[in-house]
């Protein structure tokens, strides 16, 4: 079951990290535009 | 390449985000409780994520190529933004396709990596996608950058048949397609197919949300570049005038 968990975790962590980066980058750029 | 940008603060992206969260959660929940198969034991549970993630990498390349053609024909900046957004998100999904495939191959093939036609062509696709994103970052904004990105998108589209049909063209250990050419010998029974289709929907919705976000970031970065350029020009003009120089047009 370890490989199955590793496969799911890799996908979730990878996509989650990218989604967070997108959200943070958009937030930062919007804040800069307001200033 | 300039055009008026509308504010994209609608509710659709938020809805897409929440929908993708729920659907991906459901896919993971369903995938982890799939029954063990006779051939691959519990490793069949990876069917809920690996094929759907690979599917999205295909979708991303096709969408990027369509946006590239539209960009070349219409010169609209929105298609250029869609193009790079889809390429970058596609690179993420392609990397995850290779990672999950490698994790699946370790217990079933006995190795993490093999220079198998499917794996090799998929790695080539990733290299081209990453190269396109990296090259774009090195180029100044404008029509030239949009054309270069479009050419890369069309190159990745050319690679796609090679990736998909690599298992038919060469001797490959990778499983052949089981959806378009069903093989009774495979174990893609209804519970597995159900989880896999849910994964297709979930990751496609997530891809859509990511592309919308990435295209929005591209628009914001273009705005920031224009703003900085405007400020720099204004500063240079102010330096050129100096405190004692008369303003142009003033006698």
């Amino acid at each position: 079951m370890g490989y199955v968990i590793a496969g799911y975790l890799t996908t979730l962590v990878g996509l989650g990290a990218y989604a967070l980066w997108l959200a943070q980058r958009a937030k930062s750029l919007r804040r800069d535009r307001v200033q | 390449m300039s055009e008026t940008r509308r504010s994209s603060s609608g509710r659709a992206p938020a809805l897409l985000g929440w929908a993708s969260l729920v659907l991906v959660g459901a896919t993971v929940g369903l995938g982890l409780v799939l029954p063990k198969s006779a051939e691959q034991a519990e490793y069949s549970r990876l069917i809920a994520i690996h094929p759907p993630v690979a599917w999205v990498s295909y979708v991303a390349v096709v969408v990027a190529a369509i946006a590239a053609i539209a960009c070349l024909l219409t010169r609209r900046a929105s298609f250029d933004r869609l193009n790079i957004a889809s390429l970058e998100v596609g690179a993420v999904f392609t990397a995850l396709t290779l990672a999950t495939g490698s994790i699946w191959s370790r217990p079933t093939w006995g190795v993490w990596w093999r220079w198998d036609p499917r794996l090799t062509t998929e790695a080539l696709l990733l290299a081209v996608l990453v190269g396109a994103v990296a090259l774009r970052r090195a180029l100044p904004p404008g029509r030239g950058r949009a054309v270069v990105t479009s050419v890369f998108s069309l190159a990745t589209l050319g690679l796609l048949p090679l990736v998909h049909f690599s298992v038919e063209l060469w001797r490959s250990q990778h499983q052949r397609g089981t959806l378009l050419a069903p093989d009774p010998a495979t174990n893609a029974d209804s519970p597995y197919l159900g989880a896999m289709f849910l994964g297709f929907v979930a990751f496609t919705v997530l891809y859509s949300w990511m592309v919308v976000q990435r295209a929005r970031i591209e628009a914001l970065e273009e705005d920031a570049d224009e703003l900085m350029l405007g400020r720099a020009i204004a500063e240079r003009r102010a330096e050129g005038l100096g405190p004692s120089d008369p303003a142009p047009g003033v006698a």
Side-chain angles (χ1 to χ4, degrees):
Chain A
M1 193 68 181
Y3 289 106
V4 176
I5 299 290
Y8 277 80
L9 271 181
T10 302
T11 306
L12 293 179
V13 170
L15 292 175
Y18 183 63
L20 274 178
W21 177 81
L22 287 175
Q24 285 300 315
R25 180 78 180 133
K27 193 176 167 183
S28 163
L29 284 166
R30 273 197 297 270
R31 194 177 53 223
D32 290 348
R33 192 168 63 167
V34 169
Q35 284 174 355
Chain B
M1 292 299 291
S2 65
E3 66 182 48
T4 307
R5 278 191 285 272
R6 289 186 301 136
S7 170
S8 53
S9 56
R11 293 176 66 185
L15 279 175
L16 268 180
W18 285 111
S20 58
L21 207 62
V22 170
L23 286 167
V24 169
T27 303
V28 171
L30 188 62
L32 286 174
V33 297
L34 281 173
K36 293 180 182 180
S37 70
E39 292 83 1
Q40 295 202 9
E42 71 266 29
Y43 306 122
S44 299
R45 290 170 182 159
L46 287 163
I47 203 169
I49 54 163
H50 178 66
V53 167
W55 152 259
V56 172
S57 71
Y58 286 10
V59 169
V61 167
V62 171
V63 169
I66 292 170
I69 292 167
C71 178
L72 289 172
L73 292 177
T74 68
R75 296 181 167 229
R76 285 182 60 182
S78 54
F79 288 123
D80 178 47
R81 291 195 286 270
L82 174 62
N83 183 10
I84 183 59
S86 194
L87 279 180
E88 189 178 294
V89 176
V92 172
F93 275 91
T94 306
L96 286 173
T97 302
L98 283 169
T100 53
S102 178
I103 290 168
W104 201 348
S105 77
R106 180 67 185 87
T108 52
W109 294 357
V111 289
W112 291 103
W113 178 263
R114 176 165 289 166
W115 291 103
D116 181 273
R118 171 59 66 82
L119 277 63
T120 307
T121 50
E122 187 80 18
L124 186 63
L125 178 67
L126 177 63
V128 176
L129 287 169
V130 170
V133 174
L135 181 62
R136 185 183 168 92
R137 288 200 172 272
L139 294 174
R143 177 72 186 152
R145 187 176 75 167
V147 170
V148 170
T149 312
S150 298
V151 169
F152 262 90
S153 287
L154 295 174
T156 55
L157 183 69
L159 266 179
L160 213 54
L162 203 63
V163 176
H164 187 72
F165 295 110
S166 57
V167 290
E168 312 286 343
L169 291 169
W170 296 288
R171 287 205 311 175
S172 173
Q173 198 167 355
H174 193 280
Q175 182 170 332
R176 294 184 172 194
T178 53
L179 293 175
L180 295 176
D183 179 359
T186 64
N187 60 359
D189 298 327
S190 53
Y192 299 102
L193 284 177
M196 191 166 64
F197 277 119
L198 180 62
F200 283 152
V201 174
F203 288 111
T204 305
V205 173
L206 179 61
Y207 156 79
S208 307
W209 177 81
M210 286 177 164
V211 166
V212 169
Q213 294 298 316
R214 184 62 187 82
R216 187 187 280 181
I217 286 171
E218 195 68 16
L220 287 166
E221 282 177 344
E222 285 169 14
D223 281 348
D225 285 345
E226 282 174 21
L227 196 68
M228 281 178 65
L229 185 65
R231 280 180 186 164
I233 290 171
E235 281 171 13
R236 298 289 292 196
R237 281 184 178 157
E239 285 170 12
L241 285 175
S244 58
D245 294 337
V250 177

